[in-house]
Amino acid sequence: MANVVVVGSQWGDEGKGKIVDWLSERADIVVRFQGGHNAGHTLVIDGVSYKLSLLPSGVVRPGKLGVIGNGVVVDPHALVAEIGRLAAQGVTVTPDNLRIAENAALILSLHRDLDTFRETSNSGTRIGTTKRGIGPAYEDKVGRRAIRVMDLADLPTLQDKIDRLLAHHNALRRGLGQAEIDPKGLYEELASVADKVLPFMDSVWQLLDEARRNGKRILFEGAQGALLDIDHGTYPYVTSSNTVAGQAATGSGVGPGAVGYVLGITKAYTTRVGEGPFPSEQTGEVGDFLGTRGHEFGTVTGRKRRCGWFDAVLVRQTIRTSGINGIALTKLDVLDGLEEIKICVGYTLEGRAIDYLPAAQAAQAAVVPVYETLEGWKESTAGARSWNDLPAQAVKYVRHVEELIGAPVALLSTSPERDDTILVQDPFQS
């Protein structure tokens, strides 16, 4: 049995939540390995919608263990609030079904403040973050001044760590014309939530190693998408963590040999939230059609997503940077009813044909998409559960996507309902 990594192959919002939930029935453990509560997954189970931000998708399934790995930055108050929201929907989260890495860094109110100051400033580059403090928390982690989950277990030593952290942040706040932070207030912020978080704390790398040795199947759940990767994405309009599949090992404490299959979740068209390049973006009638039919609003922020045609160049590139073995193609039904459908198959840059997205910011903004046009289909694909249920032109579209990106479709999703899924290849059996 292969352990499976699920990553987004575009700019996020590809429908990972449903696919992870669908796969979690076959897994024993579901692991989040990067990002924070800026991620958003909507699961629809028996007509009930569950909106998750920080918690692994597996927590809504009885008998599954959800794990928040060391690569995640954890807002303890957001965690407690999310657990409370699920409890109101009848889902109980306890240490029996959730563990948090003791060495995961915490997101604090000062991180949210700094994120907001930067995004609302009249100077500098606006990235289009969720203002939830993700980036500043990762900065402190790399700067070796972060407060981590394990620090909540030793409150008497917390003051020295707070002083070290505030030596940096208060200097930044002075430069931004903001009031300095009182160390006592930050201590109380942490102490007030410690007893609610500590029961979930664990040595995750040991837990996962033991699970592997006992033959347990592990599903690694990525957040955002590969094009938002801090190294391989559309920099600087990216998130603050590595979102490619290789981070599954680093962000959970397992070796790269623990990964057997990488599944790239891929929307049948393209969307992104926030600023940055988007070669195949459609701002007119087509973009409005895709956004309306696809309900393209952020799970976390409610922001309207930018929409465009499927970009095979980008997906082909992320398949390589993430080592994707197969894709789960989602939201095919959104394309129902279109007379014609376009696919971006290449770019031109200053009149020269290229088959990849350049790394330079100016070049990314300057590429011009080259399209192929395919015949659309009038029949509905919504709710299809076998190839025989699909219109012939829809099948042609899917097969052409496979050819262009160089990877097979392992799963095909035809609605938000988990059972409206066509299984071609079970990643756990690969």
Side-chain angles (χ1 to χ4, degrees), residues 159-188:
Q159 195 58 58
D160 287 342
K161 296 180 174 71
I162 288 173
D163 290 342
R164 180 180 62 190
L165 182 64
L166 291 185
H168 174 78
H169 276 271
N170 278 338
L172 287 176
R173 292 173 74 95
R174 287 194 297 270
L176 291 167
Q178 303 295 326
E180 293 189 17
I181 294 171
D182 178 14
K184 182 180 179 182
L186 186 55
Y187 176 88
E188 291 172 351

PDB file of all heavy atoms in Angstrom, residues 159-188:
ATOM      1  N   GLN A 159       8.595  33.796  29.405  1.00  0.00           N
ATOM      2  CA  GLN A 159       8.896  35.226  29.400  1.00  0.00           C
ATOM      3  C   GLN A 159      10.162  35.542  28.605  1.00  0.00           C
ATOM      4  O   GLN A 159      10.211  36.528  27.868  1.00  0.00           O
ATOM      5  CB  GLN A 159       9.038  35.748  30.827  1.00  0.00           C
ATOM      6  CG  GLN A 159       9.000  37.261  30.923  1.00  0.00           C
ATOM      7  CD  GLN A 159       7.715  37.856  30.356  1.00  0.00           C
ATOM      8  OE1 GLN A 159       6.626  37.525  30.807  1.00  0.00           O
ATOM      9  NE2 GLN A 159       7.841  38.723  29.347  1.00  0.00           N
ATOM     10  N   ASP A 160      11.198  34.707  28.765  1.00  0.00           N
ATOM     11  CA  ASP A 160      12.436  34.952  28.015  1.00  0.00           C
ATOM     12  C   ASP A 160      12.197  34.837  26.512  1.00  0.00           C
ATOM     13  O   ASP A 160      12.754  35.615  25.723  1.00  0.00           O
ATOM     14  CB  ASP A 160      13.518  33.953  28.436  1.00  0.00           C
ATOM     15  CG  ASP A 160      14.069  34.246  29.821  1.00  0.00           C
ATOM     16  OD1 ASP A 160      13.873  35.388  30.311  1.00  0.00           O
ATOM     17  OD2 ASP A 160      14.688  33.346  30.423  1.00  0.00           O
ATOM     18  N   LYS A 161      11.366  33.878  26.109  1.00  0.00           N
ATOM     19  CA  LYS A 161      11.060  33.701  24.682  1.00  0.00           C
ATOM     20  C   LYS A 161      10.243  34.882  24.152  1.00  0.00           C
ATOM     21  O   LYS A 161      10.436  35.323  23.022  1.00  0.00           O
ATOM     22  CB  LYS A 161      10.316  32.384  24.470  1.00  0.00           C
ATOM     23  CG  LYS A 161      11.127  31.142  24.829  1.00  0.00           C
ATOM     24  CD  LYS A 161      10.342  29.869  24.592  1.00  0.00           C
ATOM     25  CE  LYS A 161      11.187  28.635  24.819  1.00  0.00           C
ATOM     26  NZ  LYS A 161      11.498  28.421  26.243  1.00  0.00           N
ATOM     27  N   ILE A 162       9.342  35.389  24.980  1.00  0.00           N
ATOM     28  CA  ILE A 162       8.546  36.555  24.585  1.00  0.00           C
ATOM     29  C   ILE A 162       9.441  37.780  24.419  1.00  0.00           C
ATOM     30  O   ILE A 162       9.308  38.548  23.458  1.00  0.00           O
ATOM     31  CB  ILE A 162       7.435  36.821  25.618  1.00  0.00           C
ATOM     32  CG1 ILE A 162       6.350  35.748  25.505  1.00  0.00           C
ATOM     33  CG2 ILE A 162       6.840  38.211  25.436  1.00  0.00           C
ATOM     34  CD1 ILE A 162       5.292  35.826  26.588  1.00  0.00           C
ATOM     35  N   ASP A 163      10.384  37.975  25.348  1.00  0.00           N
ATOM     36  CA  ASP A 163      11.290  39.120  25.254  1.00  0.00           C
ATOM     37  C   ASP A 163      12.116  39.053  23.963  1.00  0.00           C
ATOM     38  O   ASP A 163      12.332  40.079  23.300  1.00  0.00           O
ATOM     39  CB  ASP A 163      12.221  39.161  26.464  1.00  0.00           C
ATOM     40  CG  ASP A 163      11.485  39.522  27.754  1.00  0.00           C
ATOM     41  OD1 ASP A 163      10.354  40.065  27.667  1.00  0.00           O
ATOM     42  OD2 ASP A 163      12.028  39.250  28.849  1.00  0.00           O
ATOM     43  N   ARG A 164      12.584  37.866  23.631  1.00  0.00           N
ATOM     44  CA  ARG A 164      13.369  37.690  22.400  1.00  0.00           C
ATOM     45  C   ARG A 164      12.523  38.025  21.167  1.00  0.00           C
ATOM     46  O   ARG A 164      12.984  38.691  20.240  1.00  0.00           O
ATOM     47  CB  ARG A 164      13.883  36.247  22.320  1.00  0.00           C
ATOM     48  CG  ARG A 164      14.709  35.938  21.076  1.00  0.00           C
ATOM     49  CD  ARG A 164      15.165  34.497  21.099  1.00  0.00           C
ATOM     50  NE  ARG A 164      14.023  33.579  21.074  1.00  0.00           N
ATOM     51  CZ  ARG A 164      14.122  32.261  21.284  1.00  0.00           C
ATOM     52  NH1 ARG A 164      15.292  31.729  21.575  1.00  0.00           N
ATOM     53  NH2 ARG A 164      13.055  31.508  21.231  1.00  0.00           N
ATOM     54  N   LEU A 165      11.280  37.577  21.180  1.00  0.00           N
ATOM     55  CA  LEU A 165      10.377  37.824  20.053  1.00  0.00           C
ATOM     56  C   LEU A 165      10.038  39.308  19.931  1.00  0.00           C
ATOM     57  O   LEU A 165      10.053  39.874  18.834  1.00  0.00           O
ATOM     58  CB  LEU A 165       9.096  37.004  20.244  1.00  0.00           C
ATOM     59  CG  LEU A 165       8.039  37.078  19.140  1.00  0.00           C
ATOM     60  CD1 LEU A 165       8.576  36.514  17.838  1.00  0.00           C
ATOM     61  CD2 LEU A 165       6.781  36.322  19.565  1.00  0.00           C
ATOM     62  N   LEU A 166       9.780  39.959  21.072  1.00  0.00           N
ATOM     63  CA  LEU A 166       9.375  41.358  21.032  1.00  0.00           C
ATOM     64  C   LEU A 166      10.529  42.299  20.724  1.00  0.00           C
ATOM     65  O   LEU A 166      10.300  43.422  20.233  1.00  0.00           O
ATOM     66  CB  LEU A 166       8.709  41.753  22.350  1.00  0.00           C
ATOM     67  CG  LEU A 166       7.341  41.117  22.610  1.00  0.00           C
ATOM     68  CD1 LEU A 166       6.720  41.684  23.877  1.00  0.00           C
ATOM     69  CD2 LEU A 166       6.399  41.314  21.422  1.00  0.00           C
ATOM     70  N   ALA A 167      11.752  41.869  20.973  1.00  0.00           N
ATOM     71  CA  ALA A 167      12.900  42.697  20.589  1.00  0.00           C
ATOM     72  C   ALA A 167      12.876  42.940  19.084  1.00  0.00           C
ATOM     73  O   ALA A 167      13.268  44.012  18.599  1.00  0.00           O
ATOM     74  CB  ALA A 167      14.205  42.013  20.993  1.00  0.00           C
ATOM     75  N   HIS A 168      12.379  41.965  18.351  1.00  0.00           N
ATOM     76  CA  HIS A 168      12.253  42.094  16.896  1.00  0.00           C
ATOM     77  C   HIS A 168      10.976  42.839  16.513  1.00  0.00           C
ATOM     78  O   HIS A 168      11.012  43.816  15.758  1.00  0.00           O
ATOM     79  CB  HIS A 168      12.262  40.700  16.260  1.00  0.00           C
ATOM     80  CG  HIS A 168      12.001  40.694  14.788  1.00  0.00           C
ATOM     81  ND1 HIS A 168      12.963  41.026  13.862  1.00  0.00           N
ATOM     82  CD2 HIS A 168      10.874  40.401  14.075  1.00  0.00           C
ATOM     83  CE1 HIS A 168      12.453  40.941  12.643  1.00  0.00           C
ATOM     84  NE2 HIS A 168      11.197  40.560  12.741  1.00  0.00           N
ATOM     85  N   HIS A 169       9.849  42.399  17.060  1.00  0.00           N
ATOM     86  CA  HIS A 169       8.569  42.938  16.613  1.00  0.00           C
ATOM     87  C   HIS A 169       8.328  44.371  17.064  1.00  0.00           C
ATOM     88  O   HIS A 169       7.737  45.172  16.313  1.00  0.00           O
ATOM     89  CB  HIS A 169       7.425  42.026  17.075  1.00  0.00           C
ATOM     90  CG  HIS A 169       7.192  40.884  16.150  1.00  0.00           C
ATOM     91  ND1 HIS A 169       6.336  40.936  15.078  1.00  0.00           N
ATOM     92  CD2 HIS A 169       7.768  39.655  16.106  1.00  0.00           C
ATOM     93  CE1 HIS A 169       6.360  39.797  14.423  1.00  0.00           C
ATOM     94  NE2 HIS A 169       7.221  38.992  15.030  1.00  0.00           N
ATOM     95  N   ASN A 170       8.767  44.709  18.255  1.00  0.00           N
ATOM     96  CA  ASN A 170       8.552  46.090  18.688  1.00  0.00           C
ATOM     97  C   ASN A 170       9.396  47.070  17.880  1.00  0.00           C
ATOM     98  O   ASN A 170       8.977  48.209  17.643  1.00  0.00           O
ATOM     99  CB  ASN A 170       8.827  46.234  20.180  1.00  0.00           C
ATOM    100  CG  ASN A 170       7.629  45.794  21.019  1.00  0.00           C
ATOM    101  OD1 ASN A 170       6.500  45.779  20.534  1.00  0.00           O
ATOM    102  ND2 ASN A 170       7.867  45.436  22.274  1.00  0.00           N
ATOM    103  N   ALA A 171      10.564  46.637  17.430  1.00  0.00           N
ATOM    104  CA  ALA A 171      11.368  47.486  16.545  1.00  0.00           C
ATOM    105  C   ALA A 171      10.636  47.712  15.223  1.00  0.00           C
ATOM    106  O   ALA A 171      10.612  48.831  14.694  1.00  0.00           O
ATOM    107  CB  ALA A 171      12.734  46.852  16.300  1.00  0.00           C
ATOM    108  N   LEU A 172      10.019  46.643  14.689  1.00  0.00           N
ATOM    109  CA  LEU A 172       9.242  46.777  13.454  1.00  0.00           C
ATOM    110  C   LEU A 172       8.052  47.712  13.654  1.00  0.00           C
ATOM    111  O   LEU A 172       7.762  48.567  12.813  1.00  0.00           O
ATOM    112  CB  LEU A 172       8.739  45.412  12.994  1.00  0.00           C
ATOM    113  CG  LEU A 172       9.743  44.436  12.388  1.00  0.00           C
ATOM    114  CD1 LEU A 172       9.063  43.113  12.086  1.00  0.00           C
ATOM    115  CD2 LEU A 172      10.340  45.011  11.109  1.00  0.00           C
ATOM    116  N   ARG A 173       7.378  47.558  14.776  1.00  0.00           N
ATOM    117  CA  ARG A 173       6.179  48.367  15.038  1.00  0.00           C
ATOM    118  C   ARG A 173       6.543  49.850  15.192  1.00  0.00           C
ATOM    119  O   ARG A 173       5.806  50.726  14.729  1.00  0.00           O
ATOM    120  CB  ARG A 173       5.451  47.832  16.270  1.00  0.00           C
ATOM    121  CG  ARG A 173       4.839  46.451  16.036  1.00  0.00           C
ATOM    122  CD  ARG A 173       4.273  45.874  17.322  1.00  0.00           C
ATOM    123  NE  ARG A 173       3.031  46.543  17.700  1.00  0.00           N
ATOM    124  CZ  ARG A 173       1.814  46.089  17.392  1.00  0.00           C
ATOM    125  NH1 ARG A 173       1.667  44.969  16.694  1.00  0.00           N
ATOM    126  NH2 ARG A 173       0.740  46.738  17.785  1.00  0.00           N
ATOM    127  N   ARG A 174       7.675  50.116  15.828  1.00  0.00           N
ATOM    128  CA  ARG A 174       8.116  51.514  15.939  1.00  0.00           C
ATOM    129  C   ARG A 174       8.347  52.104  14.550  1.00  0.00           C
ATOM    130  O   ARG A 174       7.964  53.242  14.259  1.00  0.00           O
ATOM    131  CB  ARG A 174       9.395  51.606  16.779  1.00  0.00           C
ATOM    132  CG  ARG A 174       9.177  51.373  18.266  1.00  0.00           C
ATOM    133  CD  ARG A 174      10.397  51.799  19.073  1.00  0.00           C
ATOM    134  NE  ARG A 174      11.586  51.011  18.746  1.00  0.00           N
ATOM    135  CZ  ARG A 174      11.921  49.874  19.367  1.00  0.00           C
ATOM    136  NH1 ARG A 174      11.151  49.385  20.332  1.00  0.00           N
ATOM    137  NH2 ARG A 174      13.022  49.241  19.029  1.00  0.00           N
ATOM    138  N   GLY A 175       8.968  51.316  13.685  1.00  0.00           N
ATOM    139  CA  GLY A 175       9.229  51.776  12.322  1.00  0.00           C
ATOM    140  C   GLY A 175       7.962  52.001  11.525  1.00  0.00           C
ATOM    141  O   GLY A 175       7.942  52.822  10.597  1.00  0.00           O
ATOM    142  N   LEU A 176       6.906  51.276  11.870  1.00  0.00           N
ATOM    143  CA  LEU A 176       5.624  51.405  11.175  1.00  0.00           C
ATOM    144  C   LEU A 176       4.704  52.419  11.857  1.00  0.00           C
ATOM    145  O   LEU A 176       3.553  52.596  11.443  1.00  0.00           O
ATOM    146  CB  LEU A 176       4.926  50.037  11.122  1.00  0.00           C
ATOM    147  CG  LEU A 176       5.585  48.982  10.223  1.00  0.00           C
ATOM    148  CD1 LEU A 176       5.008  47.602  10.509  1.00  0.00           C
ATOM    149  CD2 LEU A 176       5.395  49.342   8.751  1.00  0.00           C
ATOM    150  N   GLY A 177       5.214  53.051  12.926  1.00  0.00           N
ATOM    151  CA  GLY A 177       4.410  54.043  13.628  1.00  0.00           C
ATOM    152  C   GLY A 177       3.316  53.427  14.475  1.00  0.00           C
ATOM    153  O   GLY A 177       2.289  54.080  14.749  1.00  0.00           O
ATOM    154  N   GLN A 178       3.514  52.191  14.932  1.00  0.00           N
ATOM    155  CA  GLN A 178       2.517  51.480  15.729  1.00  0.00           C
ATOM    156  C   GLN A 178       2.979  51.371  17.185  1.00  0.00           C
ATOM    157  O   GLN A 178       4.180  51.378  17.478  1.00  0.00           O
ATOM    158  CB  GLN A 178       2.266  50.081  15.158  1.00  0.00           C
ATOM    159  CG  GLN A 178       1.814  50.069  13.711  1.00  0.00           C
ATOM    160  CD  GLN A 178       0.456  50.709  13.505  1.00  0.00           C
ATOM    161  OE1 GLN A 178      -0.425  50.624  14.365  1.00  0.00           O
ATOM    162  NE2 GLN A 178       0.277  51.361  12.364  1.00  0.00           N
ATOM    163  N   ALA A 179       2.024  51.234  18.069  1.00  0.00           N
ATOM    164  CA  ALA A 179       2.340  51.096  19.490  1.00  0.00           C
ATOM    165  C   ALA A 179       3.070  49.781  19.751  1.00  0.00           C
ATOM    166  O   ALA A 179       2.795  48.761  19.101  1.00  0.00           O
ATOM    167  CB  ALA A 179       1.051  51.152  20.313  1.00  0.00           C
ATOM    168  N   GLU A 180       3.969  49.804  20.706  1.00  0.00           N
ATOM    169  CA  GLU A 180       4.693  48.586  21.068  1.00  0.00           C
ATOM    170  C   GLU A 180       3.777  47.628  21.832  1.00  0.00           C
ATOM    171  O   GLU A 180       2.741  48.031  22.380  1.00  0.00           O
ATOM    172  CB  GLU A 180       5.920  48.936  21.916  1.00  0.00           C
ATOM    173  CG  GLU A 180       6.969  49.712  21.148  1.00  0.00           C
ATOM    174  CD  GLU A 180       8.264  49.873  21.929  1.00  0.00           C
ATOM    175  OE1 GLU A 180       8.475  49.117  22.911  1.00  0.00           O
ATOM    176  OE2 GLU A 180       9.064  50.756  21.559  1.00  0.00           O
ATOM    177  N   ILE A 181       4.180  46.358  21.850  1.00  0.00           N
ATOM    178  CA  ILE A 181       3.385  45.311  22.503  1.00  0.00           C
ATOM    179  C   ILE A 181       3.869  45.113  23.933  1.00  0.00           C
ATOM    180  O   ILE A 181       5.082  45.020  24.186  1.00  0.00           O
ATOM    181  CB  ILE A 181       3.490  43.991  21.718  1.00  0.00           C
ATOM    182  CG1 ILE A 181       2.839  44.166  20.348  1.00  0.00           C
ATOM    183  CG2 ILE A 181       2.849  42.836  22.469  1.00  0.00           C
ATOM    184  CD1 ILE A 181       3.073  43.001  19.422  1.00  0.00           C
ATOM    185  N   ASP A 182       2.940  45.028  24.843  1.00  0.00           N
ATOM    186  CA  ASP A 182       3.243  44.779  26.251  1.00  0.00           C
ATOM    187  C   ASP A 182       3.524  43.292  26.444  1.00  0.00           C
ATOM    188  O   ASP A 182       2.675  42.456  26.107  1.00  0.00           O
ATOM    189  CB  ASP A 182       2.053  45.214  27.106  1.00  0.00           C
ATOM    190  CG  ASP A 182       2.260  44.942  28.590  1.00  0.00           C
ATOM    191  OD1 ASP A 182       3.421  44.673  28.988  1.00  0.00           O
ATOM    192  OD2 ASP A 182       1.273  44.991  29.344  1.00  0.00           O
ATOM    193  N   PRO A 183       4.701  42.919  26.949  1.00  0.00           N
ATOM    194  CA  PRO A 183       5.020  41.502  27.142  1.00  0.00           C
ATOM    195  C   PRO A 183       3.991  40.773  28.010  1.00  0.00           C
ATOM    196  O   PRO A 183       3.694  39.594  27.764  1.00  0.00           O
ATOM    197  CB  PRO A 183       6.390  41.537  27.831  1.00  0.00           C
ATOM    198  CG  PRO A 183       6.968  42.865  27.485  1.00  0.00           C
ATOM    199  CD  PRO A 183       5.813  43.801  27.348  1.00  0.00           C
ATOM    200  N   LYS A 184       3.452  41.462  28.998  1.00  0.00           N
ATOM    201  CA  LYS A 184       2.473  40.822  29.883  1.00  0.00           C
ATOM    202  C   LYS A 184       1.228  40.409  29.113  1.00  0.00           C
ATOM    203  O   LYS A 184       0.678  39.319  29.311  1.00  0.00           O
ATOM    204  CB  LYS A 184       2.093  41.771  31.019  1.00  0.00           C
ATOM    205  CG  LYS A 184       1.110  41.177  32.019  1.00  0.00           C
ATOM    206  CD  LYS A 184       0.769  42.162  33.129  1.00  0.00           C
ATOM    207  CE  LYS A 184      -0.242  41.562  34.101  1.00  0.00           C
ATOM    208  NZ  LYS A 184      -0.617  42.545  35.173  1.00  0.00           N
ATOM    209  N   GLY A 185       0.772  41.274  28.210  1.00  0.00           N
ATOM    210  CA  GLY A 185      -0.412  40.950  27.420  1.00  0.00           C
ATOM    211  C   GLY A 185      -0.187  39.751  26.518  1.00  0.00           C
ATOM    212  O   GLY A 185      -1.085  38.913  26.355  1.00  0.00           O
ATOM    213  N   LEU A 186       1.014  39.631  25.925  1.00  0.00           N
ATOM    214  CA  LEU A 186       1.318  38.497  25.061  1.00  0.00           C
ATOM    215  C   LEU A 186       1.399  37.206  25.874  1.00  0.00           C
ATOM    216  O   LEU A 186       0.935  36.148  25.434  1.00  0.00           O
ATOM    217  CB  LEU A 186       2.629  38.743  24.308  1.00  0.00           C
ATOM    218  CG  LEU A 186       3.011  37.702  23.265  1.00  0.00           C
ATOM    219  CD1 LEU A 186       1.907  37.497  22.247  1.00  0.00           C
ATOM    220  CD2 LEU A 186       4.304  38.115  22.552  1.00  0.00           C
ATOM    221  N   TYR A 187       1.964  37.301  27.082  1.00  0.00           N
ATOM    222  CA  TYR A 187       2.017  36.135  27.965  1.00  0.00           C
ATOM    223  C   TYR A 187       0.609  35.648  28.281  1.00  0.00           C
ATOM    224  O   TYR A 187       0.316  34.441  28.226  1.00  0.00           O
ATOM    225  CB  TYR A 187       2.755  36.469  29.253  1.00  0.00           C
ATOM    226  CG  TYR A 187       2.771  35.342  30.263  1.00  0.00           C
ATOM    227  CD1 TYR A 187       3.780  34.370  30.235  1.00  0.00           C
ATOM    228  CD2 TYR A 187       1.763  35.224  31.224  1.00  0.00           C
ATOM    229  CE1 TYR A 187       3.783  33.324  31.145  1.00  0.00           C
ATOM    230  CE2 TYR A 187       1.756  34.183  32.134  1.00  0.00           C
ATOM    231  CZ  TYR A 187       2.769  33.235  32.091  1.00  0.00           C
ATOM    232  OH  TYR A 187       2.754  32.189  32.986  1.00  0.00           O
ATOM    233  N   GLU A 188      -0.271  36.575  28.612  1.00  0.00           N
ATOM    234  CA  GLU A 188      -1.652  36.194  28.947  1.00  0.00           C
ATOM    235  C   GLU A 188      -2.364  35.585  27.735  1.00  0.00           C
ATOM    236  O   GLU A 188      -3.174  34.660  27.878  1.00  0.00           O
ATOM    237  CB  GLU A 188      -2.406  37.409  29.462  1.00  0.00           C
ATOM    238  CG  GLU A 188      -1.907  37.887  30.829  1.00  0.00           C
ATOM    239  CD  GLU A 188      -2.528  39.199  31.258  1.00  0.00           C
ATOM    240  OE1 GLU A 188      -3.228  39.833  30.423  1.00  0.00           O
ATOM    241  OE2 GLU A 188      -2.308  39.615  32.424  1.00  0.00           O
TER     242      GLU A 188
END
